[in-house]
Amino acid sequence: MCSPLCLKALYGPGSRRGFVKKSVMAAAAVACGVRAASGAAAPTPAAQQPRNFTNILDLTHPLYEGFPTFDGSKWFTKEKKYTFAKEKLNINTWTVVEHTGTHMDAPLHFTADGHSVDEIPITDLVVPLAVVDISPRTQANPDTALTPDDIKQWESANGPLPEGCCVMMNSGWHRLLDSPRYTGRDDAGKYHCPGFHGETAHMLLTERNVKGIGVDTLSLDIGMETGQFPVHYAWLGSGRWGVEAVANLDALPAKGAILVLAGPKVRGGTGGPSRVIALV
Ligand SMILES: [Zn+2]
């Protein structure tokens, strides 16, 4: 759960109201204006900049029965409850394990009493997006991680990480959804897929202002740390969110996009299938 100190660190000092012009498109207004209008907390410097976009990208894989899971079991099912042939309307019944498909992780996922999905402020879910591409090396080494050096290289090319951003790992894994390689499971039951290095999580927590991290794999941690989950514990334990199994990352610029993380508003939910959108 975000402590008052944590919130202060996230939002920083100062406050401005009413700076968003009505002409700014609606979703960008959410990114810039809601926090200022609510008066709940001051906007970050990056959030004070009016934003515009010309393209909308869907970063969401379709969810279907059989979407890959680490243990191979079905974490999503869909059955007909009413049919048009019989009842003259269609309604399905779903069963969902929260962490399937393209989905978000709330702090409660890896804490005793952190924020559940419904408790995350909406202003934390529309943020600048920094995409760190490590895909050139994941083919040869699926156990590789997004390291602090990757962040430094991104910053030397693009400038400092935007205030209050989401750092997204593009490992190329989003291209593998239909491949057995997606889960990374080997014959011995170990998992080989990229993720964030624990030192990177520490760096982003202590030396940068980052709201969330995202991956195109099934886990924020590298596959070989499934069962230990050092990044999940550190990151979600700090009151921040994650998003996993993100799609379509090759279509994004390294910087300049706005991420809209539209997760389920389920009371007490630890995460859930989400619509992830980029405004470019
Ligand atoms: Zn998850």
Side-chain angles (χ1 to χ4, degrees):
M1 183 171 305
C2 248
S3 68
L5 266 180
C6 161
L7 287 170
K8 191 177 173 196
L10 284 173
Y11 290 116
S15 174
R16 289 177 62 195
R17 289 167 183 266
F19 59 88
V20 180
K21 291 179 191 168
K22 283 181 181 166
S23 60
V24 175
M25 294 184 195
V30 173
C32 310
V34 171
R35 183 179 302 143
S38 72
T44 59
Q48 292 174 2
Q49 303 301 317
R51 298 180 183 124
N52 215 332
F53 59 91
T54 55
N55 200 4
I56 301 173
L57 296 175
D58 193 347
L59 308 184
T60 319
H61 289 301
L63 183 56
Y64 55 91
E65 291 196 26
F67 192 95
T69 58
F70 275 135
D71 68 4
S73 64
K74 268 192 190 173
W75 281 18
F76 174 75
T77 65
K78 176 170 67 67
E79 288 176 12
K80 291 186 186 305
K81 180 177 173 67
Y82 299 128
T83 65
F84 199 82
K86 198 171 165 197
E87 286 94 1
K88 294 294 173 213
L89 74 163
N90 287 310
I91 295 183
N92 298 320
T93 299
W94 300 347
T95 61
V96 184
V97 178
E98 288 170 328
H99 296 265
T100 191
T102 300
H103 71 276
M104 66 184 298
D105 285 3
L108 181 59
H109 186 30
F110 272 75
T111 57
D113 58 0
H115 278 169
S116 49
V117 281
D118 56 310
E119 294 173 323
I120 300 173
I122 192 76
T123 45
D124 282 359
L125 298 174
V126 183
V127 296
L129 185 56
V131 182
V132 183
D133 185 3
I134 65 165
S135 64
R137 67 174 188 263
T138 60
Q139 190 84 2
N141 180 13
D143 299 321
T144 190
L146 194 162
T147 65
D149 280 347
D150 292 317
I151 299 292
K152 288 172 191 163
Q153 278 179 26
W154 188 98
E155 289 187 320
S156 65
N158 300 290
L161 285 177
E163 291 290 303
C165 70
C166 168
V167 176
M168 185 72 73
M169 174 187 80
N170 180 0
S171 69
W173 236 247
H174 59 278
R175 303 169 208 145
L176 300 176
L177 182 66
D178 297 323
S179 157
R181 290 185 55 210
Y182 190 70
T183 64
R185 187 181 167 97
D186 67 14
D187 292 341
K190 294 207 181 303
Y191 298 97
H192 302 277
C193 37
F196 277 74
H197 196 286
E199 289 175 8
T200 311
H202 180 75
M203 172 196 189
L204 296 179
L205 285 173
T206 58
E207 299 172 26
R208 303 292 190 278
N209 176 7
V210 176
K211 298 273 191 194
I213 55 175
V215 293
D216 55 352
T217 57
L218 286 175
S219 178
L220 304 176
D221 283 281
I222 64 170
M224 288 302 280
E225 286 180 323
T226 298
Q228 306 294 318
F229 301 114
V231 172
H232 275 84
Y233 279 110
W235 192 259
L236 302 179
S238 77
R240 291 167 175 80
W241 53 258
V243 59
E244 295 168 323
V246 178
N248 202 22
L249 294 183
D250 291 337
L252 285 171
K255 74 165 185 181
I258 299 292
L259 181 82
V260 180
L261 179 52
K265 196 169 182 178
V266 175
R267 285 184 185 165
T270 73
S274 304
R275 200 69 187 251
V276 186
I277 298 161
L279 311 177
V280 180

